[in-house]
Amino acid sequence: MPEFESDALLLHAINSQAQTKIQRAEIFLQLLSNGHIHVDWSDLPKHRNSRQCVIHYKSLNTNRSHSLCVSRKMKDAVIEKVQAGHLYDIHVCTVDELNRVLYSTEHAQIQTVASNEAPMLRVAKSTPDFIVLEWEQSKLVKLLDIEMYKLRINGAAKVLLPPTENKFIINDGQFGKRYIFELEMYRKDGKTISSIPVMIKWPGVTLPKREAFINGSKELIISWKNPTSIHDGNVESYTVYIYDSEKKLLSEIGPNPPECRQVWIEDLPKGVYFHVLEMKLADSKKSILSKPMRIECGNESTRPILTCSYTDANQEKQLIDMAYLVANLRDNAETKRLSERCENQLMKILSTLTYLTDSIHVNLNIELKSNDNIPKSYHLIVDGKESSASIPGTIRNLPFELPRRDKPYELAVLLTPALYGTKSKTILVEASHHFSFFCAHFSQQRSTRSCSYLETLPYEKQQPRPVHQGVMKPSKMMTEIQVYDFNKNEILSLPSLGQSNRFSIILFYVAQCIPSRVHLNYLSKYASTYSSQYNFISINCNQNDIDGLKELTENFTNVQCYTDFSSEDFEYERKNNETPVHEILSIAGVPLYFILNFSGHVVWRGRLCTPDQEKYDAAMDHIIAEVSQMPCSPETCDLCSIDDSHIETQLTNVDKNLQFILLQRMKPYENKNREVEPLNRIRRTVSMNQQSIRINDN
């Protein structure tokens, strides 16, 4: 049976001559004792024009596809070329002489069993400069039995390593590129055993979008957006290089702090220039350089420049950090007195935060360079509607307040009189999100507002059992539930006993819930690192549109995705219990986590209050160590240091900081100098008259 590593046949088959309607049939998969996969497509109809059957199978671990062509008379086959520990997506189709698809089965997935003798490969450390790989040999394999290791990167052999090695460093990666590492162990008896592949994107940042324009006749403004972090990559500093028309370096502006987003260059002579943005990466010796961008300076411009800053941004961030801290303290407090004190403090913080964000407070900054003395004025444009009130041309900073709404506002200014009738670029002003990490969606109306934790907190106090319980002592067998696997199109029962010898991490969520979506991404990224050690499961607790759930979870290759369902959706299937999943398991809100041991007992039940991926990973590591009764490092884990004394100290500090913020709100004009510093860190202004011209080529 010919076999090749490509989906070329399938891609060629689905062409412009393909039938518009292809019948779908069921496919049955079975994992054989020797690790091979038995495929049965007996339900696939026969067609008199069929030439052959094609089995397409794709490893979701490495994203590599294979095809297997068999006789049209066959109804089953065995796939031998599979790798241990991989998850495969398989379907079968029949094609005619022109490679047009006649019939096709549904897609189905099956997991091969990892070899007990395979080495365990993991990413020990990842930085923009290097990635450290470490591995452990199986306890079933002796060192004397190993001849060598071969490391493969994206399918290609990278290096041969002696059996005594257990670490390898890669330092030649490309920022943002996906790498799949796989370690092959060659034994002296001729056997070759592969580890489970490990996938990671090389840490770094994306190049941000840049803009450059002339303000007046001798001022160049260069601005850029926020770069996107790739696998926790960050920017340490920015530097802007200015070149003349012959591409000789004129000026090096920087390094500037990571908050900087603008460079204003004054007294720039008329001519053609090129500018390049350099981003120095944090914890790295490497930098990312943008492509040169051309700009011509010297033409008079009367276009106003509108920028804005959020007046309450610093106070809002302080309050959000306090809310995350106090919520964590409350969930880990062991006494009722401390728990109630945390709740009272949390209510004060959330009330202050809600009052602060009920309207949008911004400071509009208007810049204009012009050499004439004609009186000018501005008109503010909000969502395309011009205001009748004029703003004197002498005003540069304008405090402005807008009512809160979910949709962003579009702001611009128009310069008058008509001789200068030029409008600035439109900027977007949007309200901040409500603080939320946990929602009582089963009793509240599902909307953006209902995700506010301020509304969930009173409901949470009315629950007969604590929402967050932590380690379960004693552990309790999880009540059996039926869920629908919308990727495999099958109904199954959980917990699945006897199928795993590792912990299962289950996330219960609601698809429309904002914090639920955040935690889905957190879980997916955490699962990409620990997919070989734990089972990761997500269960949607509402009966949603299946296509929407598939789209939401399409990139979660390391998470088993299920949903609650109704018997009305299936003609031949009935649920054993018509009660919703969240009622069976007494789930009052989402996102909520269960951790199950090997026998299906719930050993940990609760929620995670984490502001970012780094804190999430640390909290999950602490919980796994706790339920495994393994030591956790107090130096790197914030949760290990939480006790009554620590909570008392933290609450006292939070109370002082909250009082200070309230005093600042009462005296808004006392700290003007305090607001200047962050603005200066966002913008850098230099004069070319003060720059020494360097003629050396960079």
Side-chain angles (χ1 to χ4, degrees):
M1 293 185 290
E3 189 170 0
F4 48 94
E5 285 190 21
S6 173
D7 263 345
L9 180 62
L10 179 61
L11 294 175
H12 177 65
I14 304 176
N15 54 25
S16 59
Q17 299 179 0
Q19 296 181 0
T20 57
K21 185 177 181 180
I22 300 173
Q23 295 190 26
R24 300 282 180 179
E26 262 193 289
I27 184 174
F28 303 94
L29 306 178
Q30 181 184 3
L31 188 64
L32 303 179
S33 58
N34 58 1
H36 298 164
I37 299 174
H38 178 259
V39 185
D40 185 337
W41 60 94
S42 304
D43 289 353
L44 192 67
K46 292 183 178 180
H47 196 285
R48 57 188 178 86
N49 294 331
S50 64
R51 177 172 64 93
Q52 62 182 1
C53 297
V54 183
I55 307 171
H56 294 276
Y57 63 106
K58 177 180 180 181
S59 169
L60 299 182
N61 296 68
T62 61
N63 214 29
R64 296 173 67 185
S65 298
H66 306 262
S67 295
L68 192 65
C69 301
V70 298
S71 169
R72 65 179 182 178
K73 298 180 180 180
M74 295 183 65
K75 287 297 181 181
D76 67 331
V78 175
I79 303 176
E80 299 179 358
K81 189 178 179 182
V82 292
Q83 291 181 282
H86 285 225
L87 179 64
Y88 285 93
D89 181 273
I90 303 174
H91 72 280
V92 180
C93 61
T94 57
V95 297
D96 62 9
E97 295 293 337
L98 298 177
N99 282 336
R100 293 178 300 188
V101 175
L102 302 174
Y103 296 128
S104 175
T105 68
E106 299 287 351
H107 287 252
Q109 294 180 359
I110 190 170
Q111 174 93 40
T112 58
V113 179
S115 172
N116 293 331
E117 299 181 352
M120 295 185 64
L121 181 66
R122 69 185 183 93
V123 175
K125 186 176 181 180
S126 60
T127 72
D129 290 351
F130 59 85
I131 288 178
V132 179
L133 297 176
E134 290 183 355
W135 59 90
E136 297 178 6
Q137 75 180 57
S138 170
K139 295 180 180 179
L140 302 177
V141 179
K142 296 179 181 179
L143 183 62
L144 296 176
D145 296 335
I146 305 174
E147 182 176 350
M148 65 174 179
Y149 291 110
K150 180 189 286 185
L151 179 64
R152 291 187 176 273
I153 302 179
N154 292 343
K158 173 70 175 180
V159 65
L160 299 177
L161 299 165
T164 53
E165 284 288 336
N166 65 349
K167 181 187 294 186
F168 188 75
I169 300 176
I170 303 103
N171 55 12
D172 56 352
Q174 300 177 19
F175 302 123
K177 183 178 178 180
R178 187 185 67 175
Y179 289 89
I180 300 173
F181 303 108
E182 191 174 9
L183 188 68
E184 294 180 347
M185 179 183 68
Y186 287 82
R187 294 178 43 145
K188 292 181 180 179
D189 58 6
K191 290 184 179 180
T192 302
I193 303 175
S194 299
S195 69
I196 296 178
V198 176
M199 182 178 66
I200 188 176
K201 284 189 176 181
W202 197 278
V205 295
T206 60
L207 277 170
K209 182 181 179 181
R210 278 185 301 154
E211 291 183 341
F213 48 92
I214 303 300
N215 186 31
S217 58
K218 291 186 177 182
E219 188 172 67
L220 172 63
I221 300 173
I222 302 172
S223 63
W224 55 92
K225 302 292 185 181
N226 293 329
T228 302
S229 173
I230 303 173
H231 204 75
D232 298 331
N234 291 302
V235 176
E236 182 180 288
S237 63
Y238 295 95
T239 302
V240 176
Y241 298 94
I242 306 297
Y243 298 86
D244 63 11
S245 57
E246 297 180 357
K247 298 185 179 180
K248 292 181 178 180
L249 182 64
L250 293 179
S251 179
E252 177 182 328
I253 306 167
N256 303 301
E259 297 89 354
C260 183
R261 292 294 180 271
Q262 294 180 355
V263 170
W264 292 47
I265 306 171
E266 300 173 339
D267 307 315
L268 194 65
K270 182 178 180 180
V272 175
Y273 299 91
F274 295 87
H275 58 89
V276 174
L277 177 66
E278 178 188 24
M279 297 186 296
K280 172 71 170 59
L281 297 176
D283 302 322
S284 170
K285 298 179 181 179
K286 295 184 179 180
S287 297
I288 300 177
L289 290 171
S290 68
K291 292 182 179 180
M293 183 180 287
R294 184 180 182 276
I295 188 76
E296 186 174 352
C297 186
N299 298 323
E300 180 73 18
S301 172
T302 58
R303 184 173 188 172
I305 302 168
L306 179 65
T307 57
C308 82
S309 59
Y310 292 89
T311 310
D312 302 323
N314 290 335
Q315 293 179 347
E316 183 180 345
K317 184 180 184 305
Q318 292 176 29
L319 289 168
I320 290 175
D321 291 343
M322 289 182 201
Y324 275 116
L325 172 63
V326 175
N328 251 329
L329 296 176
R330 186 270 313 272
D331 283 349
N332 290 275
E334 295 184 357
T335 64
K336 185 177 181 181
R337 180 185 64 84
L338 281 178
S339 179
E340 289 180 351
R341 185 181 169 190
C342 289
E343 284 189 349
N344 293 334
Q345 191 69 273
L346 187 58
M347 184 63 78
K348 292 179 184 178
I349 295 170
L350 296 179
S351 299
T352 307
L353 185 60
T354 302
Y355 171 76
L356 193 70
T357 56
D358 266 348
S359 56
I360 308 172
H361 298 87
V362 294
N363 187 41
L364 300 178
N365 182 265
I366 306 172
E367 300 281 349
L368 179 68
K369 294 290 184 179
S370 182
N371 296 326
D372 57 56
N373 296 319
I374 300 176
K376 308 174 187 65
S377 62
Y378 305 100
H379 286 266
L380 188 63
I381 302 174
V382 181
D383 291 338
K385 296 180 180 179
E386 182 180 339
S387 171
S388 58
S390 63
I391 305 171
T394 55
I395 291 181
R396 292 291 177 264
N397 294 290
L398 179 66
F400 196 61
E401 181 177 349
L402 291 163
R404 182 185 180 90
R405 72 178 189 188
D406 293 336
K407 181 182 176 182
Y409 287 95
E410 295 181 354
L411 301 185
V413 289
L414 182 66
L415 179 65
T416 56
L419 176 64
Y420 295 94
T422 307
K423 189 177 76 169
S424 70
K425 286 188 176 181
T426 301
I427 63 172
L428 296 180
V429 174
E430 57 184 342
S432 56
H433 295 297
H434 292 285
F435 174 79
S436 180
F437 75 99
F438 184 80
C439 301
H441 267 286
F442 305 116
S443 64
Q444 297 174 343
Q445 182 184 1
R446 298 187 192 98
S447 66
T448 304
R449 184 75 183 182
S450 71
C451 284
S452 170
Y453 189 61
L454 183 63
E455 297 184 9
T456 299
L457 189 55
Y459 166 81
E460 188 178 304
K461 295 180 180 180
Q462 302 170 7
Q463 296 304 303
R465 63 184 294 172
V467 172
H468 179 87
Q469 293 179 273
V471 177
M472 303 290 288
K473 296 180 180 179
S475 62
K476 184 179 179 181
M477 185 69 185
M478 177 178 165
T479 306
E480 185 180 24
I481 58 173
Q482 281 191 309
V483 291
Y484 172 61
D485 187 332
F486 48 83
N487 289 319
K488 295 183 179 180
N489 191 26
E490 65 180 12
I491 297 171
L492 50 88
S493 297
L494 293 178
S496 302
L497 303 180
Q499 297 185 3
S500 175
N501 58 350
R502 51 188 179 179
F503 284 109
S504 296
I505 301 173
I506 305 178
L507 167 63
F508 297 93
Y509 72 98
V510 171
Q512 302 94 335
C513 172
I514 294 174
S516 286
R517 288 172 174 261
V518 172
H519 275 252
L520 272 173
N521 289 316
Y522 286 165
L523 182 71
S524 175
K525 291 180 181 178
Y526 187 80
S528 65
T529 306
Y530 297 100
S531 60
S532 62
Q533 300 180 35
Y534 315 115
N535 297 322
F536 294 92
I537 299 170
S538 68
I539 300 177
N540 174 54
C541 295
N542 276 0
Q543 298 163 13
N544 290 90
D545 175 57
I546 299 302
D547 292 336
L549 287 174
K550 286 183 177 180
E551 184 178 351
L552 177 64
T553 60
E554 62 180 350
N555 296 322
F556 300 163
T557 55
N558 296 306
V559 180
Q560 302 170 47
C561 300
Y562 307 131
T563 182
D564 196 2
F565 68 97
S566 170
S567 295
E568 297 176 357
D569 299 331
F570 298 91
E571 185 176 356
Y572 303 107
E573 296 281 353
R574 295 289 299 176
K575 291 179 71 174
N576 292 334
N577 194 331
E578 287 296 333
T579 307
V581 164
H582 72 272
E583 292 184 12
I584 297 174
L585 300 176
S586 301
I587 296 175
V590 288
L592 196 76
Y593 290 85
F594 281 12
I595 296 182
L596 274 57
N597 63 10
F598 314 141
S599 59
H601 284 71
V602 181
V603 293
W604 193 94
R605 172 191 172 118
R607 58 190 175 190
L608 296 181
C609 182
T610 54
D612 52 45
Q613 184 72 47
E614 182 181 358
K615 294 287 186 183
Y616 178 91
D617 293 350
M620 193 63 79
D621 290 343
H622 170 84
I623 294 168
I624 296 295
E626 193 176 19
V627 298
S628 305
Q629 297 181 353
M630 299 285 288
C632 188
S633 175
E635 293 81 9
T636 58
C637 180
D638 295 336
L639 296 177
C640 283
S641 60
I642 295 181
D643 54 24
D644 288 359
S645 175
H646 176 80
I647 294 176
E648 294 275 9
T649 304
Q650 291 288 353
L651 288 178
T652 302
N653 293 335
V654 167
D655 189 58
K656 291 179 181 178
N657 294 334
L658 182 59
Q659 294 302 322
F660 180 72
I661 290 177
L662 293 175
L663 287 174
Q664 283 184 313
R665 298 294 301 169
M666 296 172 64
K667 301 177 182 179
Y669 301 105
E670 285 188 2
N671 297 317
K672 282 189 176 180
N673 294 332
R674 197 180 293 270
E675 298 177 0
V676 173
E677 182 181 355
L679 291 176
N680 289 340
R681 293 178 65 83
I682 294 173
R683 177 186 299 173
R684 174 78 182 275
T685 304
V686 297
S687 172
M688 290 302 290
N689 292 339
Q690 301 172 358
Q691 300 285 324
S692 58
I693 298 179
R694 287 178 263 176
I695 61 173
N696 60 307
D697 199 349
N698 191 21

